[in-house]
Amino acid sequence: ETSGAGCPNSSTFDLAVISSFSNVYSLNFDGVDDRGNPGVLSNLHGLTAFSVSLWFKRFASGDRSSRFLFGSRLGAASYRGIACVLGADAPSQQPVSVYIYGTTGGYAFFPFPVTYFKSINTWHNLIITFDSSRTNVFIGYSNGSPVVSLPNNGANPSNLGSTGTFYIGDDLGSNFKGVMDEFSIFDKSLTAQEASDIWNSGVPSNISSLSPLHWWRNEEGSGTTVANSGSSSNVLTLENGLNFSTDVP
């Protein structure tokens, strides 16, 4: 029975599910040692296409404390997977840069235009996509718009290696200072329309229809773990005092 008194029809039910989405909490990084740790994301290993989306607001500029957004590391001096850093603001501006390490250990380097993501106390949505079947394997988005499209370079990895622990906000002291929210990873290259849908005029919305592998929403509001709302089971552990904030996009 899908309609009648006391039993909503399917369209009413779908509306209720969509309207139940809310975004109340983000994660607040102190720029010293706070980090999120979901462990090794083994289901990313070997992917030839993938995407990462996150929302962030910077509280610091001009030094290394605001630099690291996320990445996989095996040991103290070796990346294993993907890494994304905020370029320094002084003495000269450096771009947001993405490093993609293949399963054989070599990596490619993809910079955004230098002026993007530099605003302080402003929410940004950053999306990176990679697809080794394209001529321009890397496409990066800022607030729903494509702003960089680049061919492979360096060691020309054809896939992603993911054997190291994935960290959010920390890389051997180059820590992010600010807030992050709605962090998601996909086993496909998001389309321009999907990137625009995620941006949604600056208001995060329900992206479950895009089938994220990992999606840490941070809606717990307290405690030391964040559930994975994607199809994977990696819980995000909040380490070194990383806590929640009500500052959200």
Side-chain angles (χ1 to χ4, degrees):
E1 179 74 15
T2 58
S3 62
C7 185
N9 60 35
S10 59
S11 61
T12 303
F13 175 75
D14 290 342
L15 179 61
V17 171
I18 295 171
S19 64
S20 67
F21 180 89
S22 62
N23 184 36
V24 179
Y25 296 103
S26 62
L27 293 179
N28 184 19
F29 294 79
D30 65 3
V32 179
D33 60 0
D34 284 355
R35 68 185 185 188
N37 178 1
V40 178
L41 305 183
S42 57
N43 56 3
L44 304 185
H45 189 70
L47 290 181
T48 58
F50 61 89
S51 304
V52 181
S53 171
L54 70 152
W55 297 73
F56 69 95
K57 178 193 284 190
R58 304 174 62 191
F59 291 162
S61 63
D63 59 32
R64 292 181 61 84
S65 69
S66 63
R67 291 191 69 189
F68 193 77
L69 286 173
F70 62 86
S72 300
R73 179 175 284 283
L74 183 65
S78 181
Y79 287 113
R80 286 294 186 272
I82 184 171
C84 183
V85 296
L86 288 164
D89 297 312
S92 61
Q93 282 199 341
Q94 302 296 319
V96 169
S97 300
V98 178
Y99 300 81
I100 295 174
Y101 291 74
T103 55
T104 59
Y107 73 91
F109 165 75
F110 303 101
F112 276 77
V114 70
T115 56
Y116 283 90
F117 309 110
K118 293 298 182 179
S119 299
I120 308 301
N121 297 319
T122 299
W123 278 101
H124 305 273
N125 176 240
L126 166 69
I127 294 177
I128 62 174
T129 72
F130 180 89
D131 186 342
S132 63
S133 70
R134 298 187 303 228
T135 299
N136 282 5
V137 297
F138 179 87
I139 300 176
Y141 296 82
S142 170
N143 296 345
S145 297
V147 295
V148 59
S149 180
L150 296 170
N152 226 327
N153 59 67
N156 299 312
S158 61
N159 57 18
L160 177 66
S162 182
T163 57
T165 301
F166 193 87
Y167 292 111
I168 298 176
D170 170 69
D171 180 51
L172 300 179
S174 297
N175 293 66
F176 175 74
K177 186 175 183 179
V179 284
M180 288 194 205
D181 202 13
E182 301 291 338
F183 196 112
S184 53
I185 304 175
F186 305 82
D187 59 354
K188 63 180 181 179
S189 178
L190 294 169
T191 67
Q193 183 60 58
E194 289 170 333
S196 178
D197 291 344
I198 290 175
W199 167 241
N200 192 37
S201 300
V203 181
S205 60
N206 192 336
I207 61 169
S208 57
S209 64
L210 302 181
S211 302
L213 272 182
H214 304 277
W215 183 18
W216 297 290
R217 299 211 51 233
N218 315 314
E219 289 305 292
E220 287 76 2
S222 63
T224 58
T225 59
V226 170
N228 195 330
S229 296
S231 60
S232 304
S233 59
N234 297 70
V235 171
L236 184 68
T237 300
L238 311 185
E239 298 183 341
N240 303 326
L242 176 60
N243 56 26
F244 296 88
S245 170
T246 55
D247 186 346
V248 295

